[in-house]
Amino acid sequence: MSQRINITLPEETLHLLDCVTNDNNRSRFIDRAIKHYAEVVKRASLKKQLKEGALNRAERDLGLADDWFPLEEELWPEPTR
């Protein structure tokens, strides 16, 4: 379902809008632009959360790797040449 809204845009923005679409496609273009922008913001937020989480857990993860490394070395010896 679509709803009609009224928005106010600066003249420069309206001119840009008119350059990339015609009057009949303004709504569709704005709809697609908002969805694209929301997806970009969502991805950037997720990327930031993943990076922060990885940095927060880095010390723990390095400790786990140190703990398990000797066992892995026993189970996976270097191949002989």
Side-chain angles (χ1 to χ4, degrees):
M1 181 173 132
S2 296
Q3 282 189 305
R4 178 177 286 276
I5 63 168
N6 291 322
I7 61 171
T8 303
L9 296 172
E11 284 184 35
E12 182 181 333
T13 304
L14 186 57
H15 177 70
L16 286 170
L17 180 61
D18 288 339
C19 285
V20 296
T21 187
N22 60 40
D23 289 339
N24 297 332
N25 293 324
R26 279 181 177 173
S27 293
R28 186 176 333 141
F29 182 86
I30 292 170
D31 176 57
R32 290 176 63 198
I34 290 171
K35 288 176 180 174
H36 174 73
Y37 179 77
E39 186 65 29
V40 168
V41 168
K42 189 168 106 177
R43 283 185 190 166
S45 175
L46 178 58
K47 193 174 189 178
K48 180 181 175 191
Q49 289 174 19
L50 289 170
K51 182 178 180 180
E52 287 173 356
L55 291 173
N56 290 338
R57 291 184 303 276
E59 190 173 322
R60 180 205 67 184
D61 293 348
L62 285 172
L64 286 171
D66 285 342
D67 292 344
W68 285 94
F69 186 75
L71 181 60
E72 287 184 17
E73 286 292 297
E74 282 181 38
L75 294 174
W76 299 97
E78 289 287 321
T80 55
R81 295 180 193 211

